[in-house]
mmCIF file of all heavy atoms in Angstrom:
data_model
loop_
_atom_site.group_PDB
_atom_site.id
_atom_site.type_symbol
_atom_site.label_atom_id
_atom_site.label_comp_id
_atom_site.label_asym_id
_atom_site.label_seq_id
_atom_site.Cartn_x
_atom_site.Cartn_y
_atom_site.Cartn_z
ATOM 1 N N LEU A 19 19.577 -15.473 -12.659
ATOM 2 C CA LEU A 19 20.227 -14.757 -13.749
ATOM 3 C C LEU A 19 20.455 -13.318 -13.315
ATOM 4 O O LEU A 19 19.572 -12.704 -12.709
ATOM 5 C CB LEU A 19 19.355 -14.791 -15.011
ATOM 6 C CG LEU A 19 19.925 -14.104 -16.260
ATOM 7 C CD1 LEU A 19 21.073 -14.927 -16.837
ATOM 8 C CD2 LEU A 19 18.835 -13.935 -17.313
ATOM 9 N N VAL A 73 -6.050 9.450 -16.546
ATOM 10 C CA VAL A 73 -4.733 9.917 -16.962
ATOM 11 C C VAL A 73 -3.729 8.787 -16.841
ATOM 12 O O VAL A 73 -2.899 8.561 -17.711
ATOM 13 C CB VAL A 73 -4.313 11.135 -16.111
ATOM 14 C CG1 VAL A 73 -2.887 11.540 -16.432
ATOM 15 C CG2 VAL A 73 -5.268 12.295 -16.347
ATOM 16 N N HIS A 82 -10.030 -14.952 -14.201
ATOM 17 C CA HIS A 82 -10.601 -15.185 -12.875
ATOM 18 C C HIS A 82 -11.211 -16.575 -12.843
ATOM 19 O O HIS A 82 -12.422 -16.741 -12.755
ATOM 20 C CB HIS A 82 -11.673 -14.140 -12.555
ATOM 21 C CG HIS A 82 -11.143 -12.838 -12.088
ATOM 22 N ND1 HIS A 82 -10.351 -12.693 -10.974
ATOM 23 C CD2 HIS A 82 -11.291 -11.595 -12.581
ATOM 24 C CE1 HIS A 82 -10.041 -11.410 -10.800
ATOM 25 N NE2 HIS A 82 -10.600 -10.735 -11.771
ATOM 26 N N PHE A 104 -5.315 1.203 19.414
ATOM 27 C CA PHE A 104 -5.987 2.504 19.357
ATOM 28 C C PHE A 104 -6.338 2.812 17.915
ATOM 29 O O PHE A 104 -5.745 2.267 16.978
ATOM 30 C CB PHE A 104 -5.090 3.605 19.936
ATOM 31 C CG PHE A 104 -3.709 3.676 19.355
ATOM 32 C CD1 PHE A 104 -3.418 4.506 18.273
ATOM 33 C CD2 PHE A 104 -2.672 2.917 19.888
ATOM 34 C CE1 PHE A 104 -2.139 4.575 17.741
ATOM 35 C CE2 PHE A 104 -1.384 2.974 19.359
ATOM 36 C CZ PHE A 104 -1.116 3.808 18.286
ATOM 37 N N ILE A 147 2.130 10.746 14.500
ATOM 38 C CA ILE A 147 3.137 10.103 15.339
ATOM 39 C C ILE A 147 2.548 9.924 16.728
ATOM 40 O O ILE A 147 1.972 10.860 17.301
ATOM 41 C CB ILE A 147 4.427 10.933 15.395
ATOM 42 C CG1 ILE A 147 5.000 11.130 13.983
ATOM 43 C CG2 ILE A 147 5.463 10.258 16.293
ATOM 44 C CD1 ILE A 147 6.125 12.142 13.919
ATOM 45 N N THR A 174 -9.119 28.411 -1.634
ATOM 46 C CA THR A 174 -9.378 29.844 -1.771
ATOM 47 C C THR A 174 -8.979 30.343 -3.154
ATOM 48 O O THR A 174 -9.722 31.063 -3.815
ATOM 49 C CB THR A 174 -8.620 30.636 -0.695
ATOM 50 O OG1 THR A 174 -9.044 30.204 0.606
ATOM 51 C CG2 THR A 174 -8.865 32.128 -0.855
ATOM 52 N N THR A 175 -7.792 29.932 -3.625
ATOM 53 C CA THR A 175 -7.287 30.424 -4.907
ATOM 54 C C THR A 175 -7.506 29.449 -6.055
ATOM 55 O O THR A 175 -7.406 29.836 -7.228
ATOM 56 C CB THR A 175 -5.775 30.704 -4.794
ATOM 57 O OG1 THR A 175 -5.076 29.459 -4.604
ATOM 58 C CG2 THR A 175 -5.476 31.646 -3.643
ATOM 59 N N ASP A 184 0.591 6.854 -2.210
ATOM 60 C CA ASP A 184 1.300 5.611 -1.854
ATOM 61 C C ASP A 184 2.357 5.794 -0.768
ATOM 62 O O ASP A 184 3.536 5.444 -0.952
ATOM 63 C CB ASP A 184 1.956 5.004 -3.102
ATOM 64 C CG ASP A 184 0.943 4.482 -4.104
ATOM 65 O OD1 ASP A 184 -0.245 4.386 -3.752
ATOM 66 O OD2 ASP A 184 1.336 4.175 -5.240
ATOM 67 N N VAL A 200 7.060 8.570 -0.429
ATOM 68 C CA VAL A 200 5.833 8.761 -1.203
ATOM 69 C C VAL A 200 6.195 8.884 -2.676
ATOM 70 O O VAL A 200 7.339 9.185 -3.040
ATOM 71 C CB VAL A 200 5.056 10.032 -0.780
ATOM 72 C CG1 VAL A 200 4.549 9.912 0.648
ATOM 73 C CG2 VAL A 200 5.911 11.289 -0.948
ATOM 74 N N LEU A 201 5.211 8.668 -3.527
ATOM 75 C CA LEU A 201 5.310 8.989 -4.943
ATOM 76 C C LEU A 201 4.677 10.362 -5.152
ATOM 77 O O LEU A 201 3.534 10.581 -4.757
ATOM 78 C CB LEU A 201 4.585 7.940 -5.788
ATOM 79 C CG LEU A 201 4.369 8.288 -7.269
ATOM 80 C CD1 LEU A 201 5.687 8.431 -8.004
ATOM 81 C CD2 LEU A 201 3.480 7.233 -7.937
ATOM 82 N N SER A 366 22.711 -8.716 -4.244
ATOM 83 C CA SER A 366 23.881 -9.075 -3.449
ATOM 84 C C SER A 366 25.016 -8.066 -3.620
ATOM 85 O O SER A 366 24.958 -7.185 -4.473
ATOM 86 C CB SER A 366 24.370 -10.473 -3.843
ATOM 87 O OG SER A 366 23.372 -11.435 -3.624
ATOM 88 N N HIS A 367 26.054 -8.222 -2.766
ATOM 89 C CA HIS A 367 27.225 -7.334 -2.734
ATOM 90 C C HIS A 367 26.820 -5.904 -2.362
ATOM 91 O O HIS A 367 27.419 -4.934 -2.829
ATOM 92 C CB HIS A 367 27.966 -7.351 -4.074
ATOM 93 C CG HIS A 367 28.303 -8.724 -4.555
ATOM 94 N ND1 HIS A 367 29.197 -9.529 -3.908
ATOM 95 C CD2 HIS A 367 27.830 -9.442 -5.604
ATOM 96 C CE1 HIS A 367 29.293 -10.692 -4.533
ATOM 97 N NE2 HIS A 367 28.474 -10.665 -5.568
ATOM 98 N N PRO A 384 12.621 -19.235 -9.166
ATOM 99 C CA PRO A 384 11.227 -19.608 -8.899
ATOM 100 C C PRO A 384 11.121 -20.430 -7.623
ATOM 101 O O PRO A 384 12.035 -21.176 -7.265
ATOM 102 C CB PRO A 384 10.853 -20.442 -10.126
ATOM 103 C CG PRO A 384 12.146 -21.047 -10.574
ATOM 104 C CD PRO A 384 13.220 -20.040 -10.252
ATOM 105 N N VAL A 435 -11.827 -6.608 -2.436
ATOM 106 C CA VAL A 435 -10.722 -7.323 -1.810
ATOM 107 C C VAL A 435 -9.471 -7.069 -2.653
ATOM 108 O O VAL A 435 -9.544 -6.460 -3.713
ATOM 109 C CB VAL A 435 -11.013 -8.830 -1.694
ATOM 110 C CG1 VAL A 435 -12.190 -9.062 -0.765
ATOM 111 C CG2 VAL A 435 -11.265 -9.454 -3.059
ATOM 112 N N ALA A 568 2.597 -3.835 9.013
ATOM 113 C CA ALA A 568 2.930 -4.376 10.321
ATOM 114 C C ALA A 568 4.405 -4.109 10.579
ATOM 115 O O ALA A 568 5.197 -4.006 9.638
ATOM 116 C CB ALA A 568 2.629 -5.877 10.378
ATOM 117 N N ALA A 578 -1.282 -2.548 11.543
ATOM 118 C CA ALA A 578 -2.120 -1.462 11.025
ATOM 119 C C ALA A 578 -3.113 -2.067 10.049
ATOM 120 O O ALA A 578 -2.716 -2.669 9.054
ATOM 121 C CB ALA A 578 -1.268 -0.400 10.335
#
Side-chain angles (χ1 to χ4, degrees):
L19 181 72
V73 174
H82 280 301
F104 52 93
I147 301 169
T174 300
T175 67
D184 292 348
V200 295
L201 168 64
S366 300
H367 308 293
V435 296

